[in-house]
Amino acid sequence: MNKTLTINISGIIFHIEEDAYDKLSKYLNTIKGYFVNSEGRDEIVSDIESRIAEMLQGRVSPVKQVVVMDDVEHVITVMGKPEEFAGEEPQDSKSQTEDGFTQAKSSTRKRMFRDPDDKILGGVCSGIGHYFGIEPLWLRLALAISFFVFGFGILLYILLWIIIPQANTTSEKLEMRGEAVNVNNIHKTFTDEMEDLKKKMKQFKAEASGLGSKENKERMRRGAGRFGEFLEEFFKMLGTAIVKFMSGIMILIGFSLLIALLAATFGYSHRNIHIGINSGNLNVSLHEFMHLFFNDSSLSTLAYLALILLLGIPCLMMIYNGIRHLFNLGKRNKVLSVISSLLWFTGVILTTILIYRASGDFSAESKSKKNEAVKIAAGTFYIRMETLSKPGDDLDDMTHFNRWELFHVRDHQVFGYYPTLDIKASATDSFEVCVISSARGATSAEAFSRSQNINYNYTIKDSVLILNPAFSFNLDDKWRNQNVRILIKVPRGKMIQLSRNLRPLIHNSDIDNLQDSDDDDMVGRRWIMTEEGLNCVDCNGLEMIHSRPTPPQPPNPPVPSDKKASFSFF
């Protein structure tokens, strides 16, 4: 039975026999005594102890948990004697020293580490070069080629950077180079590193002392001047390129807007401009718009002129300035600038006059009303919208957007889409259909006359009310905000069902109901008029509905003709 001790070497706990401990302690004390006057003594001894602890860990196992004399002798054999630094190199592979220690050439092994002393980024290539005996330059060149040719060089380098550990200790650096990890090599490696550090410090000191010389100051001044000239030239070229690019964009936008303006101004319905709004297109013909809006042809001519000056002059100046900057034509022509400014202000003045003249025809509003009582048998009153279509029409891109009102002009008649639908309680025991037409004019009498000239038709078949999606008025009445509101009055206790195709008519009508549901959610359901108001019969979960399908396209007016125009406004 042998006495054992517990020791700590480099932070690792070992159980060791007493005689083995005495020999290991004597060996470490000898090493510490030898390096007592060496620079970096503590770092050298710490690396040696780390290597000894690593070797002893490999000698113990769950079966053999105690360090014995054979283990210590193996460590001393591998690590060697510190007296070798004095030039006492053993001639044989194994020799006996006067202290009784056995020395032998230790076996070497290579391990792959990243080299922190010879690195550009992470030391991956230099570490792999040490392991395989390859010059790191060729590995770096291969990675660069793989990046530019195959595109995976950077990812491979980052992956190796993560996987391969860095050689931080002296022992790890020796293993990276394939050198024996013994006392001699640990001391030599540490000494070389200290010498390199001293050389770098001396070089840095010499360079720092020379910074203050007159020659270096002049060199730095010239370098700073050249760098400043480079920056100035770089930003000048960058600014020129940006100006050229923006000039080209200005020319393109200017020409596009000018062509669009001329086409809209002088084009008829077969040369309409299509302006995209959300998911639909609006066909605009200013020629037909002027004809619909102004009573006097002279006002239409002034409107053309005002529009060309107000919008055309900025387009022309945008093109002119773009060409001037793109081709370096020099300074702006002052005479041209003054003339263009005067013409544009003339357009502003004409536009102001026209708006003032036109606003007089919108000063008064009047409404006319037509009521019809509807008697139906007991049951539900069905309400839907008539669907009209005419093959070959090219106006199927017209779409209802919120409060945009779209119009078709055919055969001296203006067809407007859509009337609005509202539902209220009836004071009688009959259903009522009330058509309320509204228009504006210079006087109330003129507005009332226009409202009476609005035509709107609907059809009642048994218990089904079919509403026309369009109303019409004569082109001679001009557009004066004509509109139609359809009011359905429902007796208490009676039921109605709203067809899904009514959505364009009730969109934003804000129909009062007990569920406080949105207008678009009311279609496709049955409603009953109660004492409290309109109540939904089959609206379970109605409050969960938030979808807003795109309203259907407006049908084409039922009057066939080869001449047609379309345009939109508020």
Side-chain angles (χ1 to χ4, degrees):
M1 178 167 33
N2 295 326
K3 184 179 180 180
T4 60
L5 304 172
T6 301
I7 61 174
N8 184 333
I9 304 176
S10 189
I12 302 174
I13 303 298
F14 294 97
H15 300 291
I16 186 171
E17 291 183 349
E18 187 174 12
D19 55 346
Y21 169 76
D22 292 337
K23 190 166 187 176
L24 181 60
S25 179
K26 183 179 179 181
Y27 177 71
L28 290 174
N29 289 333
T30 302
I31 292 176
K32 292 177 182 179
Y34 184 82
F35 293 118
V36 67
N37 295 322
S38 299
E39 187 175 6
R41 167 182 173 273
D42 294 336
E43 287 80 1
I44 296 174
V45 173
S46 177
D47 285 338
I48 293 172
E49 289 183 349
S50 297
R51 177 56 178 164
I52 291 173
E54 181 183 350
M55 295 175 66
L56 290 178
Q57 272 190 309
R59 303 285 294 185
V60 297
S61 66
V63 179
K64 178 180 172 295
Q65 300 181 1
V66 179
V67 177
V68 298
M69 180 63 72
D70 289 341
D71 300 327
V72 175
E73 288 179 350
H74 173 75
V75 169
I76 294 173
T77 299
V78 174
M79 296 297 295
K81 288 286 290 181
E83 285 82 353
E84 293 177 8
F85 302 130
E88 301 174 3
E89 291 288 344
Q91 297 300 319
D92 300 323
S93 63
K94 185 179 291 186
S95 62
Q96 187 76 20
T97 67
E98 60 182 15
D99 295 324
F101 294 124
T102 301
Q103 283 191 186
K105 291 183 180 178
S106 61
S107 60
T108 61
R109 63 166 180 163
K110 277 188 178 182
R111 292 178 61 188
M112 188 174 290
F113 290 98
R114 290 184 286 112
D115 189 355
D117 300 325
D118 181 21
K119 67 177 182 179
I120 294 178
L121 291 176
V124 173
C125 293
S126 57
I128 296 175
H130 284 306
Y131 189 81
F132 292 104
I134 304 173
E135 177 64 33
L137 175 64
W138 302 115
L139 294 173
R140 291 167 182 150
L141 182 61
L143 278 173
I145 292 174
S146 65
F147 171 69
F148 288 107
V149 176
F150 303 104
F152 64 85
I154 293 280
L155 295 177
L156 178 61
Y157 188 90
I158 294 174
L159 182 63
L160 293 174
W161 194 342
I162 295 172
I163 294 175
I164 301 175
Q166 180 173 283
N168 295 316
T169 66
T170 304
S171 299
E172 291 174 344
K173 292 177 182 178
L174 289 171
E175 289 179 323
M176 177 184 67
R177 294 193 291 267
E179 300 178 8
V181 185
N182 53 35
V183 177
N184 185 9
N185 286 335
I186 290 175
H187 179 266
K188 181 181 177 183
T189 301
F190 189 82
T191 304
D192 292 342
E193 290 179 355
M194 293 302 297
E195 289 297 327
D196 290 340
L197 181 60
K198 288 179 180 179
K199 289 180 181 179
K200 291 179 180 179
M201 292 300 295
K202 289 180 180 179
Q203 184 180 359
F204 176 76
K205 184 178 180 180
E207 291 177 355
S209 61
L211 290 176
S213 64
K214 184 176 181 180
E215 182 180 351
N216 280 331
K217 289 181 179 179
E218 182 63 24
R219 189 184 299 114
M220 291 175 64
R221 188 186 64 81
R222 291 197 300 269
R226 287 194 295 269
F227 182 69
E229 292 174 359
F230 167 76
L231 288 180
E232 181 181 0
E233 189 67 22
F234 172 77
F235 284 111
K236 185 183 295 184
M237 293 176 61
L238 180 63
T240 302
I242 293 175
V243 169
K244 299 289 186 184
F245 176 77
M246 295 304 297
S247 299
I249 296 296
M250 287 175 60
I251 295 173
L252 180 63
I253 293 176
F255 269 117
S256 300
L257 293 177
L258 187 61
I259 292 173
L261 176 63
L262 294 177
T265 303
F266 300 105
Y268 290 85
S269 59
H270 63 282
R271 289 183 290 174
N272 290 343
I273 299 174
H274 297 274
I275 303 174
I277 297 182
N278 297 338
S279 60
N281 294 321
L282 297 180
N283 301 313
V284 180
S285 174
L286 291 178
H287 173 81
E288 301 291 349
F289 176 79
M290 298 297 183
H291 186 56
L292 176 64
F293 192 79
F294 292 105
N295 289 316
D296 192 348
S297 60
S298 61
L299 293 179
S300 299
T301 304
L302 284 179
Y304 282 131
L305 180 60
L307 191 64
I308 291 174
L309 294 178
L310 188 66
L311 302 180
I313 294 299
C315 294
L316 289 174
M317 294 306 296
M318 189 181 297
I319 297 171
Y320 167 72
N321 287 316
I323 294 175
R324 185 172 60 85
H325 288 296
L326 186 62
F327 298 102
N328 297 323
L329 299 182
K331 295 182 179 180
R332 181 187 301 179
N333 190 312
K334 293 184 178 180
V335 176
L336 180 62
S337 299
V338 172
I339 293 175
S340 62
S341 298
L342 290 176
L343 291 175
W344 185 78
F345 278 112
T346 302
V348 172
I349 293 172
L350 287 176
T351 302
T352 304
I353 294 174
L354 289 171
I355 292 175
Y356 176 76
R357 288 286 303 272
S359 63
D361 271 353
F362 289 82
S363 57
E365 182 182 15
S366 186
K367 299 179 181 180
S368 60
K369 184 184 300 185
K370 299 176 183 178
N371 283 337
E372 180 180 354
V374 180
K375 294 285 187 180
I376 66 169
T380 304
F381 191 35
Y382 297 91
I383 305 174
R384 66 180 179 88
M385 184 177 71
E386 183 179 4
T387 301
L388 301 176
S389 62
K390 175 176 176 289
D393 271 320
D394 58 354
L395 300 175
D396 55 354
D397 290 332
M398 308 289 283
T399 308
H400 185 81
F401 295 97
N402 294 332
R403 293 307 301 159
W404 282 81
E405 298 169 356
L406 311 179
F407 291 86
H408 295 165
V409 179
R410 295 191 182 188
D411 287 350
H412 217 67
Q413 289 289 314
V414 182
F415 295 86
Y417 298 89
Y418 291 95
T420 59
L421 175 64
D422 197 0
I423 302 172
K424 299 291 184 182
S426 175
T428 66
D429 59 352
S430 300
F431 287 94
E432 293 183 57
V433 179
C434 182
V435 178
I436 304 171
S437 303
S438 63
R440 288 185 173 273
T443 62
S444 297
E446 185 178 326
F448 182 73
S449 175
R450 283 197 177 100
S451 68
Q452 285 189 317
N453 292 338
I454 297 175
N455 300 315
Y456 181 74
N457 299 315
Y458 58 86
T459 305
I460 299 176
K461 295 181 179 180
D462 297 329
S463 59
V464 180
L465 172 63
I466 304 173
L467 300 175
N468 197 312
F471 58 90
S472 64
F473 55 90
N474 195 284
L475 183 60
D476 293 335
D477 280 346
K478 306 302 179 183
W479 178 78
R480 293 300 180 265
N481 199 25
Q482 286 91 337
N483 208 344
V484 170
R485 176 171 172 257
I486 306 165
L487 178 60
I488 307 297
K489 295 183 179 182
V490 182
R492 288 173 175 81
K494 298 293 185 178
M495 188 179 302
I496 61 171
Q497 180 168 344
L498 303 179
S499 174
R500 292 186 181 276
N501 71 350
L502 285 175
R503 183 172 284 111
L505 274 63
I506 69 172
H507 187 67
N508 288 342
S509 294
D510 196 19
I511 300 175
D512 293 331
N513 59 87
L514 297 182
Q515 280 71 26
D516 196 25
S517 62
D518 293 339
D519 296 327
D520 289 347
D521 293 330
M522 297 183 65
V523 297
R525 301 182 183 276
R526 292 179 300 164
W527 300 82
I528 187 169
M529 185 60 70
T530 65
E531 295 293 336
E532 293 79 15
L534 195 62
N535 186 34
C536 186
V537 176
D538 50 4
C539 288
N540 293 331
L542 181 60
E543 65 279 2
M544 303 296 292
I545 299 177
H546 299 288
S547 59
R548 293 292 180 272
T550 303
Q553 297 173 348
N556 298 312
V559 182
S561 174
D562 293 334
K563 182 180 179 181
K564 50 184 179 293
S566 58
F567 34 120
S568 65
F569 42 87
F570 285 106

